[in-house]
Amino acid sequence: MDDSDNLPARAMLTARVCELVERAGHTQSSLHRLTGFSRTYIGNIVHGKTVLSPSAARVLDDLFGTGVELQELRAAAEREKLARRYAVVEPSADLPREREVPAAEADGTRETEEGEDTDRRDLLALLTTSAGDLVERIRSGTSSPDRQLLFHYQCAVHDYAIRYGTTSHGDLLVEVGDDWRRIQALLADGWKSDRYRREFIVVAGQLTYILSRLAFNLGDFKRATSFLTLVETHASQTGDPALGAAVATMWSSLFYYMGSQDEALRTAQEGHTYGYGYHEAELYAYEARAYSRLGRRADAVTALNLMEKTLGGPAEAEAGGNPFTEESALMIAGGVWARLGDSERALPITTAAIERYGAMRKPPFEEHGNAWIAHASALVSSDPDAAASAACTALEVLGGRPTRTVFQRAADIARDLAPYGGLPSLGELRDRVRAEQRLSLPGAAL
């Protein structure tokens, strides 16, 4: 028996798809030609007999120019179905709800709305309170979710990892937080002997890690550490090397941006004990940047060489962070040489990094912004005007998406250029820094 009429989110999804198809004047045949979907599958979608897959929702969002609207409706329908099946607690009415995203925001860029910063702070506060409680609550129980629910959360983590680099972190926070609370509730009141328990704990750790990254880049370092504590709990329960190495990268970044370079170095070095190849080059990169801040040139060069040696080929994004690519290595190396005072060596590297990110159809905005920051750092001593302009570009590529790492480093560039106060480009940079400051949550001093 088809119970779609009793599933409001699914009914809304079907109605919206039908509306878009009718408005565009499409037939099943034309949709088949444009999307490659079978006519049977298209018919099942428009008649509400099946829920869109994540990839189908993305294809139709692109086709109709609806941003991520269908993807969000699909996710809501899937969560609703699973919540009913497993009696999983629905989100609290106190939490911000997912909003409809206009087509103009399809790339994750938008203007910050009044009250949005408060919403993000409230959501992070609620989530981190839960994280502290869950460290104590994880225990045995009786329920036993199955492979289908596990697969749902694994797909969600995969989707978040792919979208992380190009989606506004404020928007992603709501989606990740929703799935995170559900899976943590399952674990806290969960089961001990079920064959899938370890896999559920790993996925819970991955979602928690993504929340830690989001809190970090939204400028709330304190709450980022609360989530990391819970990730470490899950990592110790499962012995999962990916979680352990990811935690090391996050701790190193937190210490680095807080100015504790010895701890940033130590935690990066500890990450190698997990032997997880996805993070090896990144960990050496984090060692190199810490060494450069400490003025240890020879050690920084050694770490850069190890970074290049362990750099792998193209990889798909994992929950532990974006793949560490050749572009990432160029960005780090250029910044390290700039901090070591060798702008002549740094500039060709940073130029290559910004050119390669700029050539991407949809570059990850944080890495793209940090590549411009590295370029600005290399220009400070030789061309202050160009350095200020490069830092402005770094903020521009964020497109209004709060990103603490780029913002903090742009503010550092503005301070480094203080002796050149008469430069119009420096005045523009200071104005941009002040404008960006309202997009970052309080919680860590610059």
Side-chain angles (χ1 to χ4, degrees):
M1 179 178 177
D2 186 359
D3 62 351
S4 61
D5 289 341
N6 296 320
L7 298 173
R10 180 170 172 176
M12 288 175 61
L13 174 61
T14 300
R16 182 59 173 148
V17 171
C18 289
E19 177 188 357
L20 292 168
V21 170
E22 182 178 356
R23 181 186 300 171
H26 285 304
T27 63
Q28 289 187 23
S29 294
S30 64
L31 285 175
H32 166 68
R33 289 194 302 271
L34 290 168
T35 66
F37 302 154
S38 71
R39 291 177 176 84
T40 300
Y41 182 59
I42 293 169
N44 287 339
I45 291 172
V46 298
H47 291 105
K49 294 180 180 180
T50 188
V51 175
L52 286 169
S53 68
S55 59
R58 283 194 291 271
V59 168
L60 292 180
D61 268 331
D62 288 342
L63 177 64
F64 295 124
T66 47
V68 293
E69 179 185 354
L70 297 180
Q71 295 171 65
E72 291 186 342
L73 284 173
R74 186 216 66 83
E78 185 68 17
R79 286 194 298 268
E80 188 174 65
K81 180 179 73 174
L82 292 168
R84 292 190 178 209
R85 178 175 177 181
Y86 296 102
V88 179
V89 178
E90 282 296 297
S92 165
D94 295 329
L95 288 180
R97 307 298 295 181
E98 293 164 314
R99 66 184 186 89
E100 294 186 1
V101 181
E105 300 174 15
D107 63 351
T109 62
R110 60 187 171 84
E111 294 296 322
T112 300
E113 301 172 3
E114 184 178 358
E116 183 180 329
D117 289 342
T118 301
D119 287 344
R120 287 200 298 265
R121 285 193 292 271
D122 290 346
L123 178 53
L124 277 172
L126 285 166
L127 292 174
T128 48
T129 297
S130 299
D133 293 341
L134 284 163
V135 171
E136 305 300 326
R137 287 181 58 207
I138 295 174
R139 54 181 173 77
S140 62
T142 57
S143 62
S144 186
D146 64 11
R147 188 196 303 269
Q148 180 181 351
L149 188 60
L150 173 62
F151 184 72
H152 163 77
Y153 284 117
Q154 288 173 332
C155 288
V157 168
H158 178 71
D159 181 60
Y160 296 142
I162 291 173
R163 293 167 52 208
Y164 189 92
T166 56
T167 304
S168 169
H169 295 157
D171 291 343
L172 205 56
L173 176 66
V174 178
E175 298 181 55
V176 178
D178 201 17
D179 276 329
W180 176 82
R181 286 182 296 106
R182 286 190 172 92
I183 197 168
Q184 293 291 3
L186 284 173
L187 290 177
D189 299 316
W191 64 103
K192 187 173 183 178
S193 60
D194 187 86
R195 61 182 293 191
Y196 300 118
R197 180 168 176 79
R198 180 186 178 278
E199 287 79 4
F200 269 97
I201 295 174
V202 169
V203 173
Q206 291 169 337
L207 287 168
T208 311
Y209 179 79
I210 294 172
L211 284 178
S212 177
R213 291 179 69 201
L214 290 169
F216 169 73
N217 264 333
L218 289 169
D220 199 324
F221 291 3
K222 182 177 180 181
R223 289 187 174 118
T225 63
S226 296
F227 289 124
L228 271 185
T229 300
L230 183 54
V231 181
E232 289 178 322
T233 300
H234 292 321
S236 65
Q237 287 178 311
T238 62
D240 185 72
L243 283 180
V247 167
T249 65
M250 190 74 255
W251 277 121
S252 184
S253 289
L254 280 162
F255 284 124
Y256 178 81
Y257 282 96
M258 288 298 292
S260 301
Q261 303 307 329
D262 287 321
E263 284 300 300
L265 176 61
R266 182 183 64 80
T267 49
Q269 291 171 334
E270 288 176 352
H272 295 297
T273 61
Y274 297 97
Y276 192 67
Y278 185 84
H279 288 296
E280 279 295 283
E282 182 180 11
L283 288 166
Y284 283 123
Y286 289 0
E287 288 181 42
R289 70 182 184 183
Y291 279 131
S292 69
R293 289 288 187 186
L294 293 168
R296 295 168 59 175
R297 182 188 179 93
D299 290 326
V301 172
T302 298
L304 285 179
N305 290 335
L306 289 169
M307 174 192 75
E308 293 178 2
K309 183 178 179 180
T310 54
L311 188 64
E316 192 168 75
E318 294 186 9
N322 296 331
F324 193 83
T325 62
E326 292 181 1
E327 291 79 14
S328 309
L330 289 170
M331 173 189 69
I332 289 289
V336 166
W337 285 114
R339 283 187 292 275
L340 291 173
D342 194 338
S343 59
E344 185 176 344
R345 195 162 190 171
L347 278 171
I349 299 174
T350 58
T351 299
I354 59 177
E355 287 177 350
R356 292 181 65 159
Y357 278 118
M360 294 180 183
R361 186 179 68 85
K362 203 171 183 181
F365 58 86
E366 181 184 2
E367 286 87 343
H368 192 189
N370 275 317
W372 275 103
I373 289 293
H375 192 58
S377 298
L379 289 165
V380 166
S381 60
S382 61
D383 193 341
D385 185 53
S389 295
C392 286
T393 303
L395 296 174
E396 184 177 334
V397 300
L398 298 183
R401 294 165 289 206
T403 308
R404 180 53 179 261
T405 58
V406 179
F407 164 63
Q408 181 168 331
R409 294 177 70 193
D412 290 341
I413 296 291
R415 283 193 288 268
D416 291 342
L417 293 174
Y420 307 95
L423 290 173
S425 57
L426 178 56
E428 180 186 354
L429 174 59
R430 287 170 172 167
D431 289 342
R432 283 182 176 270
V433 166
R434 282 191 287 269
E436 293 288 334
Q437 189 167 13
R438 65 187 174 85
L439 299 177
S440 185
L441 293 173
L446 282 179

